[in-house]
Amino acid sequence: MVLDLTASSVDLTRAICDIPSVSGDEQTLADAIEEAISAYPHLEVIRHGNTIVARTNLGRAQRVAIAGHIDTVPINGNVPTRDVEIDGVPHLWGRGTVDMKSGTAVQLKLAAELAEPSVDITWMWYDNEEVEASKNGLALLAAVRPDLFQADFAILGEPSNGQVEGGCNGTMRAIVRTTGVRAHAARAWIGENAIHRAAPILARLAEYRAREVPVEGLLYRESMSAVRITGGVAGNVIPDACEVEVNYRFAPSKSAADAEAHIRNLLAGFDVEITDAAEGARPGLDAPIAQEFVAAVGAEPRPKYGWTDVARFSALGIPAVNYGPGDPHLAHHDEERVPLAQIDAVERGLRAWLSSR
């Protein structure tokens, strides 16, 4: 598979979306990106696993890191892409068009074309963003090459409707368990049904009301949801175990310890195991370079409700924002689609800022 980085951002989006790259299966796309970007002599190219880094070394006064993930959630009949019109507006439909291959396509095109940017740039395209943090390609790279993360500002190409979304909520997953006693379903009263015992867990989650938390001028909205439930032995057996997986999205003013305490308090009386956690990121919009960027692209700062890898840069003291085409509400949706004009607009915004500072 050969990628043409001289193609338009729209055509490049189409090309990389049509290369399936569900989390854990990114090698074909990573190989194509490495081959394509290695043709440009103004870039130093480094590969770690299926993460590709390309950077300029021009001795500029400032360096900006610009990153995008190359994996998607599972495909569900929405690859290959196709062109559609929604209310007369041309869109590209298909898995990854929003989250976040359109943003990645813009980055690839600009990385190839901007041989003399006004700042040094470290471009990063990484794998396994959509799964647990322990597999995240950006995190694995940081563990072995922290020097690659030196920057004054960072931009993640996550979908933001072409606006700037500051920081991000944190995310935490927990398994909540109930136990019982097996018995024949014809004599259910002999056993104790672990699935039935999960009813109070579900009731508490259903009654949970999202909190809105102001952080540095942006209003973040939290949520707590059951995302999976497992249990059962056979069609004629009372189950003796049940697990409810819970996902908590918490404001960046909270630490992971705060989030864990909140989950345990809500689900007091049950066996709770925290299985994954990633802290959020404060907006970072008070940094002068961030303010220059927002002004240059003409965007309106908003909060990012989902977790993104801006948190990794924020943890290093680097202000970071999300800026990419696509409606975040359509991320992971089976009708995932992005307006063509939005892809072009984000390309123009980034190009102008990186060329004129």
Side-chain angles (χ1 to χ4, degrees), residues 148-162:
L148 295 177
F149 288 76
Q150 294 176 4
D152 300 285
F153 183 51
I155 302 168
L156 270 289
E158 290 282 358
S160 63
N161 257 332

Side-chain angles (χ1 to χ4, degrees), residues 180-184 187-194 197 238-239:
V181 178
R182 291 192 193 188
H184 196 295
R187 301 172 185 82
W189 59 89
I190 302 299
E192 296 177 7
N193 195 311
R197 287 184 170 181
I238 299 301

Side-chain angles (χ1 to χ4, degrees), residues 47-206:
R47 179 164 182 168
H48 180 260
N50 286 325
T51 294
I52 314 298
V53 176
R55 61 180 181 174
T56 64
N57 294 293
L58 302 170
R60 302 293 196 238
Q62 291 179 304
R63 178 174 291 275
V64 175
I66 303 179
H69 63 83
I70 64 173
D71 62 321
T72 71
V73 297
I75 293 165
N76 189 23
N78 46 8
V79 169
T81 54
R82 66 172 187 259
D83 292 293
V84 299
E85 281 200 5
I86 309 294
D87 297 327
V89 177
H91 286 67
L92 184 64
W93 174 97
R95 176 63 77 226
T97 53
V98 171
D99 194 10
M100 56 160 285
K101 289 184 174 180
S102 56
T104 297
V106 167
Q107 294 171 4
L108 285 166
K109 181 172 179 60
L110 292 179
E113 293 184 0
L114 296 179
E116 292 286 339
S118 58
V119 292
D120 271 312
I121 307 172
T122 302
W123 304 94
M124 298 174 161
W125 302 291
Y126 60 102
D127 60 333
N128 280 313
E129 189 272 349
E130 299 288 5
V131 291
E132 58 267 32
S134 62
K135 295 181 179 179
N136 184 290
L138 209 59
L140 296 176
L141 178 66
V144 296
R145 290 294 307 271
D147 57 299
L148 295 177
F149 288 76
Q150 294 176 4
D152 300 285
F153 183 51
I155 302 168
L156 270 289
E158 290 282 358
S160 63
N161 257 332
Q163 299 300 316
V164 172
E165 293 185 333
C168 67
N169 275 336
T171 181
M172 179 169 286
R173 293 188 182 96
I175 299 294
V176 189
R177 296 185 175 88
T178 59
T179 58
V181 178
R182 291 192 193 188
H184 196 295
R187 301 172 185 82
W189 59 89
I190 302 299
E192 296 177 7
N193 195 311
I195 293 178
H196 292 181
R197 287 184 170 181
I201 299 171
L202 300 178
R204 293 182 200 181
L205 293 171

